[in-house]
Amino acid sequence: MNEAIPATRVDDDEFRTRLRSLDMAPLWDVMATLVSREPRTPCVPALWRYDAVRPLVMEAGEVITAKEAERRVLVLENPGMPGMSRITRSLYAGLQLILPGEVAPSHRHSQTALRFVIEGNGAYTAVDGERTMMQPGDFVTTPHWTWHDHGNESSEPMIWLDGLDIPIVSLFDASFAEPGEREEQQLSRPIGDALARYGSGLLPVDQEPGALSSPVFNYPYLRTREALDALCRASEWDPCHGLRMKYVNPLTGDHALPTMATFMQLLPAGFSGTGYRSSDATVYACVEGTGETEIDGQRFRWGPRDIFIVPSWMRSVHRAGGEDAVLFSFSDRAAQERLGLWREARES
Ligand code: GTQ
């Protein structure tokens, strides 16, 4: 934290050369960077307009099949970190395309994944023996080390936003993955089983508490939207967030996934928020309505299906247009909370 050290004492090249030869280095060169007073990040604010990126996603459908690619995805790369397959320092995001009749074969990995459905109707993801049919606005999870395959038996292409904790797992050098024995996993439960069993305000009578990831693996938009609709009549609005809810694991009340926190928020028509910062860089996907988010003074206008990010600790302000706006978002807040790292600052 001491930024001014007299040059005469530290500019001893001969000393530095000897240090380097023994794989050592002086901390005082890098102290202020390593232990910064506030978050410093190469991550920059960015927005992907769906109208601009969709044609390229469809073009990817002509270049390679889902099966050949294993996962046919265009990675959303933060412009501040090109070539690093990450949308923030800790998170990966991409747009995945499944065309009618295609299957993305079964596999499992250490990384936790989430899907947020952007376009299409009725493609499925199967997770550990159960399929769920996906609709726009649905939030679908694939907890770490669960078998999952995706398929599309509908007549339209389906596109969803993938969010994975790939950079977190790679930071720990803890990545394991394996392909399934068959392309599509064997199903052992009917469609809708997990939601009925765990996500309906009920639990099996002998259910053990706990579990790192939620047993509910599809949080349908229909239900989420209904909840927001009912709440917005009664709730007082948060000056920064409007009405913001988090997706939870019904066995713990904690975030649905251990590393990534997920949220849905409603900004009422004409909402003009106050300034907000938090230590979790956040990926937003607009579901309904239009608006703008000012990020460190830069204005990003968004509409349905657009994706944008607010980097760690940058000041953001949300404003909604003439109708109610709905934003899905995810971040590494779940991991940060577990490590005691997460912080926020609000302007009143
Ligand atoms: O659907 O399993 O975007 O394994 C990247 C890696 C999606 C997936 C991605 C993956 C997946």
Side-chain angles (χ1 to χ4, degrees), residues 71 73 92 96 107 109 115 148 150 162 164 166:
R71 297 294 184 262
V73 177
Y92 157 102
Q96 181 160 175
H107 70 190
H109 39 67
R115 334 273 166 201
H148 54 285
H150 315 293
D162 276 327
L164 284 90
I166 290 172

Side-chain angles (χ1 to χ4, degrees), residues 183-194:
E183 212 162 89
E184 290 174 84
Q185 65 182 281
Q186 193 144 22
L187 302 175
S188 54
R189 286 182 307 280
I191 286 176
D193 191 88

